[in-house]
Amino acid sequence: MPVNPELQERAFPPTEPYLVGREKVREFARAVFATNPINLDPEAARAAGYDDVVAPPTFAVVMQEQTLAQLLAEPDSGIDFSRVVHGDQRFTVSRPIVAGDLLTATLRVSSVKTLGAHSIVAAESSIVDASGGHVVTAISTLVVRGED
């Protein structure tokens, strides 16, 4: 089944709020080999003007994963996850994610294209804080391989 072209411009409901934990930020920082002290040490982060440790920029994928799960679970999507290859990832950052942030994310499918037997799905996850202020938009391109 090909990817449903009617997914284009479809928006999904916001995710449940996610409280960014200090240890989650530290674990993520270690996993991506982030060595900046503000990613690991609350005192270094405070000295730099932040309330707590600062997540590496790619931490936004933690929230984005929740939104992409909504897309992949959509019954009429036509997306077979076993055929998905992650094609591209970008971020538009308004401010860093900091431990203690309460974040929600909303997904919008920005485009669905067909290239031969394959489909290319671009999706944007807009992540906001508890006051509704934009924090980061995570933009993913998924390539759904066609039948062999």
Side-chain angles (χ1 to χ4, degrees):
M1 175 164 101
V3 172
N4 181 355
E6 292 180 12
L7 284 175
Q8 186 160 319
E9 296 304 325
R10 187 175 299 179
F12 291 80
T15 61
E16 290 294 317
Y18 176 86
L19 179 60
V20 178
R22 180 184 291 164
E23 289 310 311
K24 290 292 183 185
V25 169
R26 287 173 162 167
E27 289 169 359
F28 191 90
R30 286 189 209 80
V32 298
F33 301 102
T35 58
N36 190 321
I38 67 171
N39 301 133
L40 303 165
D41 179 8
E43 293 305 317
R46 282 193 266 288
Y50 299 100
D51 291 338
D52 209 322
V53 292
V54 177
T58 55
F59 187 85
V61 299
V62 171
M63 292 296 304
Q64 184 184 37
E65 183 276 329
Q66 293 177 26
T67 65
L68 290 174
Q70 291 173 311
L71 172 62
L72 295 172
E74 193 71 358
D76 72 339
S77 73
I79 298 174
D80 175 357
F81 187 67
S82 70
R83 304 190 72 76
V84 171
V85 177
H86 197 163
D88 185 39
Q89 183 72 55
R90 290 175 281 140
F91 302 95
T92 303
V93 179
S94 292
R95 71 162 179 83
I97 296 173
V98 177
D101 280 341
L102 187 62
L103 304 174
T104 57
T106 305
L107 180 84
R108 181 181 69 83
V109 177
S110 52
S111 74
V112 177
K113 297 178 183 173
T114 302
L115 185 60
H118 311 299
S119 296
I120 301 170
V121 180
E124 298 180 5
S125 300
S126 179
I127 301 169
V128 299
D129 60 23
S131 70
H134 181 263
V135 178
V136 60
T137 299
I139 305 154
S140 277
T141 302
L142 305 176
V143 179
V144 184
R145 295 177 295 113
E147 294 296 321
D148 298 329

